[in-house]
Amino acid sequence: MTLIPAPIAAALLPLAALVWAAPAAAQADAPPHSNRPAAAPGCSPEHTAMGHCVPAAPTASPSPAPPPPAPVCAPEHAAMGHCVTAAPTTPLSAAPPPLAPAAACASEHAAMGHCSAAAPVTPLSPAPSPPALACAPEHAAMGHCVAAAPVTGRTPSASAPAPYADRIWGSAAMDRARATLRREHGGGTFSMIMLNLTEASIARGRDGYRWDGEGWFGGDVDRFVVKSEGGGQFGERIDEAEVQALYSRAIGPYFNLQAGLRQDLGTAPRRTYASLGIEGLAPYWFDVEGTLFLSGRGDLFARAEAYYDQRITQRLVLQPRVELNLAAQDARAQRVGAGLTDIELGLRLRYEIAREFAPYVGVSLERQIGESARRARAAGEDPGGLAAVVGVRAWF
């Protein structure tokens, strides 16, 4: 379909040629490209925008090389584009090289990737850890060591083997020997007789004699003791005498409790008493003794005695001595009154020719007191006085 009529198109054809030729003529009259500003190597972009210069075209390299990696490029600098971190060397084999186990790589360092903990060596046949010689159970419970396992030997026999001596001498002979050994080393029985006083007294008109001793048989704890004392005047019958049969038991390292019977003899009324007393070694090495006597008639008497061995030399010994007798009631048959009946003070010096035999000399004061003295005078007797003594102390 034709939009423009042919006469009009023929009229417009010369005009079109003119319009086509005008720009070509104008282009032919335009100045050449040499009038454009030359490219400046140091032209900045703002000068180029103002037409002052043309920036130098960048030299296009065939294959632009990436910037060399900085040898010490930190990761944070690489993230800001300041440098490029060195690319890790990729070996031909894709498998990462195993980290060498550090000799002292701790488990927490290995967990952070700083090192590789040494893998436990797994032997083909793991041997048990040797037990520690002194591994305590609590250390073994904490895994520090392994406690020694109990030695499981052969099943022990039901009875221990006989002692070596029994195999040679026989069990019967060795039993007797062991019993003798026990008896002679603390488990045996012993005996002793001690005559502490065996003396003659010299006094005006009443010379006399006196004894005081004891004997015992038994062990260190239990003993049977016999005590006796008495006295009289020469040429006359024994005035006073008594014998005690006692059971003695140790109640401490230094004291014995004694109980038994006492029998009076001589011209005095013969009475039988129950006896209960204590004797021993008091502090500072005083030998002391205290006894209660209860007669068959109900009369109660008491006696207290003490003496001390003052060693002057290894053989010369001075022995002071005191004895008191008391009565809880009047006893007309014994001619004593209630209270303190008599007292005896003595001082004896002995010389130990042997430990078992020691003669002595000394003085002794015996005196009845109070109602007892009055009754003695009423009976025509001497209530007592000072006397010189000479005697022997012996024991075996």
Side-chain angles (χ1 to χ4, degrees):
M1 181 179 65
T2 305
L3 298 177
I4 301 174
I8 296 176
L12 292 179
L13 185 60
L15 186 58
L18 183 58
V19 172
W20 176 264
Q27 187 175 5
D29 295 342
H33 289 286
S34 61
N35 294 334
R36 298 176 60 183
C43 184
S44 60
E46 55 274 18
H47 283 196
T48 304
M50 289 184 293
H52 296 167
C53 60
V54 177
T59 305
S61 59
S63 57
V72 289
C73 182
E76 55 274 18
H77 284 195
M80 290 186 292
H82 296 168
C83 59
V84 179
T85 56
T89 303
T90 304
L92 296 178
S93 60
L99 296 176
C105 181
S107 57
E108 56 273 16
H109 283 194
M112 291 186 289
H114 297 168
C115 58
S116 176
V121 179
T122 305
L124 296 178
S125 59
S129 302
L133 295 179
C135 182
E138 57 273 18
H139 283 195
M142 291 186 287
H144 296 168
C145 57
V146 178
V151 178
T152 55
R154 295 181 299 177
T155 303
S157 59
S159 60
Y164 188 76
D166 292 18
R167 304 175 203 172
I168 299 177
W169 305 103
S171 298
M174 289 308 302
D175 288 343
R176 290 194 298 271
R178 293 188 186 97
T180 303
L181 187 64
R182 286 193 296 270
R183 185 172 59 253
E184 294 179 353
H185 290 77
T189 55
F190 307 92
S191 61
M192 181 178 184
I193 295 177
M194 164 67 77
L195 297 176
N196 196 20
L197 297 178
T198 309
E199 64 187 20
S201 60
I202 303 173
R204 190 172 49 187
R206 47 184 181 87
D207 298 341
Y209 55 91
R210 181 184 179 186
W211 77 87
D212 184 351
E214 68 176 40
W216 56 263
F217 173 81
D220 295 334
V221 178
D222 301 308
R223 294 178 181 176
F224 174 69
V225 181
V226 176
K227 296 182 178 180
S228 179
E229 67 175 75
Q233 294 183 357
F234 293 116
E236 299 180 1
R237 296 179 56 187
I238 298 176
D239 185 16
E240 297 179 351
E242 67 177 47
V243 178
Q244 299 183 50
L246 306 171
Y247 165 71
S248 177
R249 181 171 180 82
I251 57 174
Y254 300 102
F255 283 90
N256 299 322
L257 181 66
Q258 298 177 337
L261 297 175
R262 165 190 163 186
Q263 178 63 49
D264 284 353
L265 304 173
T267 58
R270 297 188 177 184
R271 296 283 188 272
T272 303
Y273 302 84
S275 175
L276 177 64
I278 185 172
E279 72 169 12
L281 193 62
Y284 299 99
W285 305 99
F286 282 93
D287 287 275
V288 297
E289 179 180 350
T291 309
L292 293 175
F293 302 102
L294 180 63
S295 70
R297 296 176 180 268
D299 297 331
L300 181 62
F301 301 93
R303 178 181 299 162
E305 181 179 355
Y307 63 89
Y308 180 76
D309 285 342
Q310 176 61 56
R311 191 168 295 277
I312 300 174
T313 66
Q314 290 295 323
R315 295 182 179 273
L316 195 61
V317 181
L318 183 65
Q319 184 191 74
R321 178 187 181 91
V322 59
E323 178 180 328
L324 304 174
N325 287 284
L326 303 98
Q329 66 290 309
D330 290 338
R332 295 185 178 275
Q334 288 86 357
R335 298 195 296 272
V336 296
L340 181 62
T341 59
D342 61 86
I343 182 173
E344 189 265 333
L345 300 176
L347 185 63
R348 295 169 175 84
L349 180 66
R350 72 172 184 263
Y351 181 80
E352 295 182 344
I353 299 175
R355 296 299 182 191
E356 298 84 357
F357 184 81
Y360 63 85
V361 295
V363 294
S364 176
L365 174 63
E366 298 182 14
R367 188 79 179 182
Q368 291 182 318
I369 306 297
E371 181 65 18
S372 301
R374 190 187 63 80
R375 291 182 179 181
R377 293 191 190 94
E381 298 178 353
D382 188 356
L386 185 64
V389 296
V390 56
V392 174
R393 181 179 186 269
W395 61 268
F396 53 91

